[in-house]
Amino acid sequence: MGEEVTRVAKVRPIGGRGLRVRFAGDREDHELDMTGLIARSTHFAPLMDDAESFAKVVVVEDGLGVAWPIQTEWGRLDVSAATLRRIAEEQEPMTGTDFAEWRVRLGLSLTEAATLLGVGRRTIMGYLKKDELPAVVAIACRALARDKHILAAHYVPARKINRHAA
């Protein structure tokens, strides 16, 4: 049985380049800042200076995405619900509790987490008490958790590991 398909239940513009999105099955809305996507993508360039069109965002394809009333060389200007979900997850603040769960999930000691993130052990202990960690720390933690190759490339064990020769 496959994963459930991400769908958008509701969308509305907020602020200059923000969207308030409710995903199907969620109880709360997510506020997404779309500035980075718009600024870094040729596809979304038409929205850069067109607040009027940005404000006309609608749910399309039974919630599989959202679209704006702009035609591009690739067709209608749209973005998938899965991409919006990923942006929402990446923009969610990381708390000290989230950080503690991340460390346990990756099996990292305080020293290993400190070495991995390039900070001192006391900084790691401070992160555990914070309501919101710096965005760069959240970005790094999520990347390390998502990609085992990034973790393997930068992980330094706190203790010497005895391995048997293969």
Side-chain angles (χ1 to χ4, degrees):
M1 191 180 214
E3 288 185 33
E4 191 173 316
V5 175
T6 302
R7 294 185 185 275
V8 173
K10 295 191 311 188
V11 66
R12 71 179 177 90
I14 53 171
R17 293 189 184 106
L19 294 178
R20 177 165 286 141
V21 178
R22 168 95 39 105
F23 296 100
D26 284 4
R27 293 181 181 182
E28 295 181 7
D29 292 347
H30 300 268
E31 291 188 5
L32 285 62
D33 182 349
M34 302 297 288
T35 305
L37 183 68
I38 293 167
R40 305 276 310 171
S41 171
T42 304
H43 183 70
F44 292 99
L47 290 175
M48 187 56 118
D49 297 313
D50 191 351
E52 186 177 325
S53 290
F54 185 84
K56 294 178 181 175
V57 65
V58 294
V59 176
V60 295
E61 304 294 330
D62 196 29
L64 292 177
V66 301
W68 292 268
I70 295 175
Q71 287 295 314
T72 71
E73 62 184 277
W74 305 282
R76 173 186 64 202
L77 185 57
D78 61 4
V79 62
S80 73
T83 297
L84 292 173
R85 169 69 83 183
R86 179 73 184 273
I87 291 170
E89 290 169 355
E90 288 295 326
Q91 290 181 354
E92 190 70 31
M94 180 177 262
T95 66
T97 301
D98 298 331
F99 182 75
E101 291 170 1
W102 168 83
R103 195 175 63 77
V104 169
R105 194 169 55 251
L106 270 58
L108 300 172
S109 69
L110 292 172
T111 301
E112 290 167 340
T115 301
L116 196 57
L117 295 173
V119 298
R121 199 176 133 98
R122 290 178 73 166
T123 300
I124 295 298
M125 291 171 29
Y127 286 164
L128 295 169
K129 299 173 187 170
K130 286 199 171 272
D131 289 333
E132 187 172 327
L133 275 61
V136 69
V137 174
I139 292 166
C141 291
R142 289 178 178 131
L144 289 161
R146 189 172 41 253
D147 189 331
K148 67 180 179 181
H149 301 295
I150 294 173
L151 179 61
H154 299 284
Y155 173 74
V156 177
R159 294 187 185 106
K160 183 177 178 183
I161 298 174
N162 293 322
R163 304 256 187 231
H164 296 291

